[in-house]
Amino acid sequence: MNVAEMFDGVVQQVDKLSNGNPVIAGVMSLWLLGVGTYIFRQVPLKIYGFFMKHMTTELTTTSQNEVFHNLLSWLEEKGYSAKFRKVKLSNGKFGWGSDKGTTKSVGYGSHLVWFMGHPVLISLNKEESHSEHDKETISLHKIGRSHAIFDRLIREIGTKDDDKDKTKVHKYSKGGWEFVGSQPKRVLSSVIIEKDKEDALTRTIDEFVASEDWFVMHGIPYQLGILLYGPPGTGKTSLIKAIAAYADRPLCIARLNAMSSSLEEMLLTSPDNSIVVIEDIDTSGSTKRRKTKKAKPANEPPDAPQSQVEAIEEALQDYSSASLSDILNAIDGVVSRHGRILVMTTNYPEKIDEALLRPGRVDLKLEIGYMDAILLEAMLRKFFDDIPEDYFHGYVLGHDTLTGSMVQGDIREKKGYKEIADMYRREA
C-alpha cells in the first residue's frame, strides 16, 4: 500500500465517523492533518536527537576560557573559517585577536568540517549574559566514543603560545571568571619604587614559590597576601602588573561590592596559582575598622533606652561585623585556592579593620608613597639617555606630593628632563 492509498483510506474512515456531516468531517480532517504534520516533523528530530545523544561524543568550552579564543584562532589559521557560510566579526577586545584589530571567526550556528579524515560538527551559540560582553559556547561533535580526534585537536591548540610574553587577565562578572585578554608583561625594573621595597617584594614572592612543599607538609593553606597602600597615582596598579609578570601568573581582577558572598565566590572559583586583585578594598563598608562600643555612664540605668541614632549605628556595626566575618572566611576559610596570591590596594590603610591585615591574610605590607629626589632621578634616567652623570648632584625636590603619574604625564607631553627637573626643583 502506497501513501496515496493510505490517505484515501483515512478519508473514508473520517467520512464514516462523521455520518456525512461536512462540518464534523472538516474538523476531524484538520485534526488528523495536524497530528500527521506533527508526527512527520517530530520523528526526524527524535531520530536526530537519539543519534546525537547515543552515537556521538561532544567537546564543549565557553568564552570565559582562554582555550575558547585559541580554538577560534586555530580554526582561522588552518583555513576552516574560510569555508564557513556563517562568520562573525569582532574587534578582538575580549579574544585572541586583541592585537590584530578586527578579527573574522566562526559564526553562530552549525558548521561541518573534516579533521583527520573524520567529520566534526562545530556549533557556536550565544547565551544570555548580564556581563558587558557576550557569553558564547562552542561545541564539537564527532561520531563514536573515541577521544583520539579531540586529543589531537587539544594538542594542536595547546601548541599555540602566542601569549608567552604576556600576562593573561581574567575578570569576574555574574556567572564566573571570564578571560578578557592578554597584555604585555611589565618587568619589575620598569616600576619606580625604592630598592629596599623591591627587594622585600621579590624575596617574599621567591620564598613563597619555593615553599610549596613546606606549606603542604604542615597543612597550611598555600596562599600569600600582599597589601599595597599609598596615595592615588603613586603606581600601585603598575606594580601589580609587574608582580604578575615576575611571578608568571595570570591576573584575576575582582570587584568588591556589598555582597560578601560574591567575594567568597570570586576567591573560591579563581584559578589555582593565580593573582587575585582587589583594588580599593577600603571602599567596602564591611572592611572598615570597627569602632569600640561606648560604655554607658555609671549613673545611667542599665535599661535606659537608646537614641535612634545610637540604635542605627549599632545595627550597622553588627551588620558590618557579620559581613567582615564572611570576607575573612572567604580569604582563609576551610576551602581555599592552592597557590593563590591575593593583592589588595588601598589609599587609606588606617580605615581597614585590623582582623583583615593580620599575618596569614596579609604577609607583606608595602607603602607606595610620593616620589623623592632619588626616585625622580631614577624615573627620568629610564626615559632620557643623555642626562649627565652629575646632573642631580645637590638636587633638592621641592614638591611634597609628586607622583609617578604626574611625571609620566610630563614625559608624554614631550617635555625634556631639564624642564621636568626644574619644574619640581626647590628654589634656593
Side-chain angles (χ1 to χ4, degrees):
M1 181 181 293
N2 56 32
V3 175
E5 291 174 341
M6 289 178 60
F7 182 76
D8 289 339
V10 171
V11 172
Q12 291 175 9
Q13 291 298 321
V14 170
D15 187 57
K16 290 180 180 179
L17 292 173
S18 65
N19 294 321
N21 189 314
V23 176
I24 297 177
V27 172
M28 294 184 66
S29 298
L30 289 175
W31 178 78
L32 287 172
L33 180 61
V35 171
T37 302
Y38 174 81
I39 292 174
F40 282 114
R41 185 173 56 188
Q42 290 298 316
V43 167
L45 293 177
K46 295 291 184 182
I47 295 175
Y48 175 78
F50 179 86
F51 174 79
M52 295 298 291
K53 182 178 180 180
H54 297 282
M55 305 296 291
T56 67
T57 303
E58 179 181 10
L59 178 67
T60 302
T61 186
T62 68
S63 55
Q64 294 175 304
N65 302 302
E66 181 187 356
V67 68
F68 174 93
H69 307 284
N70 287 341
L71 176 57
L72 296 185
S73 173
W74 182 85
L75 289 171
E76 177 68 17
E77 292 180 358
K78 293 297 183 180
Y80 289 109
S81 296
K83 302 174 183 178
F84 295 155
R85 298 187 63 184
K86 293 182 180 180
V87 293
K88 183 167 66 73
L89 189 67
S90 66
N91 60 7
K93 181 178 181 181
F94 300 106
W96 54 270
S98 57
D99 58 346
K100 302 178 183 179
T102 55
T103 59
K104 177 172 66 69
S105 61
V106 55
Y108 298 119
S110 298
H111 315 266
L112 184 64
V113 302
W114 288 82
F115 179 67
M116 294 176 56
H118 297 271
V120 177
L121 185 66
I122 300 175
S123 300
L124 179 67
N125 298 293
K126 182 167 67 173
E127 303 177 16
E128 285 190 14
S129 174
H130 299 286
S131 64
E132 61 188 39
H133 53 282
D134 295 334
K135 180 180 178 181
E136 299 171 337
T137 299
I138 191 167
S139 302
L140 288 76
H141 289 87
K142 58 166 289 293
I143 300 174
R145 295 187 177 184
S146 172
H147 291 187
I149 295 177
F150 289 157
D151 292 341
R152 170 71 179 275
L153 178 63
I154 292 170
R155 286 195 298 271
E156 290 206 13
I157 296 173
T159 59
K160 288 181 56 59
D161 197 14
D162 299 336
D163 293 342
K164 62 181 179 180
D165 295 325
K166 295 183 179 180
T167 297
K168 299 175 177 61
V169 181
H170 302 261
K171 177 181 176 183
Y172 187 89
S173 63
K174 188 174 182 180
W177 289 98
E178 297 181 0
F179 172 70
V180 296
S182 303
Q183 56 183 248
K185 287 185 176 180
R186 177 156 189 173
V187 295
L188 189 56
S189 60
S190 69
V191 181
I192 307 300
I193 61 172
E194 293 87 341
K195 185 65 168 60
D196 60 329
K197 294 179 180 178
E198 179 181 339
D199 291 342
L201 179 62
T202 56
R203 182 172 60 253
T204 299
I205 295 175
D206 291 342
E207 291 177 354
F208 174 72
V209 172
S211 303
E212 181 177 4
D213 292 341
W214 182 88
F215 277 85
V216 174
M217 182 177 64
H218 290 85
I220 301 174
Y222 183 50
Q223 298 175 160
L224 176 67
I226 299 174
L227 178 71
L228 305 179
Y229 64 95
T234 52
K236 296 186 290 295
T237 301
S238 298
L239 184 56
I240 289 172
K241 296 177 182 179
I243 291 173
Y246 183 82
D248 195 21
R249 300 185 180 211
L251 275 177
C252 296
I253 311 300
R255 300 297 179 189
L256 188 62
N257 53 35
M259 298 297 293
S260 58
S261 59
S262 297
L263 175 62
E264 185 173 12
E265 185 177 347
M266 291 178 196
L267 296 179
L268 294 182
T269 59
S270 61
D272 284 341
N273 298 310
S274 61
I275 297 178
V276 179
V277 180
I278 305 176
E279 294 189 286
D280 300 322
I281 193 169
D282 57 276
T283 58
S284 170
S286 301
T287 63
K288 284 183 167 53
R289 184 184 296 270
R290 290 166 287 185
K291 297 179 181 178
T292 304
K293 293 185 178 180
K294 297 180 180 179
K296 291 186 177 181
N299 59 350
E300 184 177 323
D303 57 348
Q306 288 181 310
S307 69
Q308 189 175 20
V309 173
E310 290 174 336
I312 293 175
E313 288 181 347
E314 185 171 324
L316 290 175
Q317 178 76 21
D318 292 340
Y319 171 78
S320 177
S321 297
S323 299
L324 176 62
S325 176
D326 292 337
I327 291 176
L328 298 180
N329 287 333
I331 292 176
D332 60 0
V334 176
V335 181
S336 57
R337 302 304 293 176
H338 189 77
R340 184 196 69 207
I341 298 178
L342 177 62
V343 180
M344 298 178 287
T345 72
T346 178
N347 299 333
Y348 308 100
E350 67 279 1
K351 293 184 178 181
I352 300 178
D353 195 281
E354 293 179 356
L356 187 61
L357 303 180
R358 73 162 177 77
R361 292 175 181 141
V362 172
D363 306 288
L364 176 66
K365 302 173 187 176
L366 278 183
E367 180 181 10
I368 313 300
Y370 294 117
M371 301 186 74
D372 57 17
I374 296 176
L375 293 181
L376 175 61
E377 177 183 1
M379 184 169 184
L380 291 178
R381 289 192 181 278
K382 286 186 177 297
F383 287 92
F384 301 98
D385 298 329
D386 56 340
I387 301 178
E389 186 67 28
D390 60 349
Y391 184 81
F392 281 92
H393 287 180
Y395 182 90
V396 179
L397 186 66
H399 201 297
D400 296 332
T401 57
L402 182 62
T403 65
S405 61
M406 294 168 60
V407 178
Q408 188 177 71
D410 296 330
I411 295 173
R412 295 183 66 174
E413 291 177 4
K414 307 300 182 182
K415 295 178 181 178
Y417 71 88
K418 292 182 179 180
E419 183 181 0
I420 297 173
D422 289 343
M423 285 173 57
Y424 302 115
R425 186 193 302 269
R426 176 180 294 175
E427 297 182 1

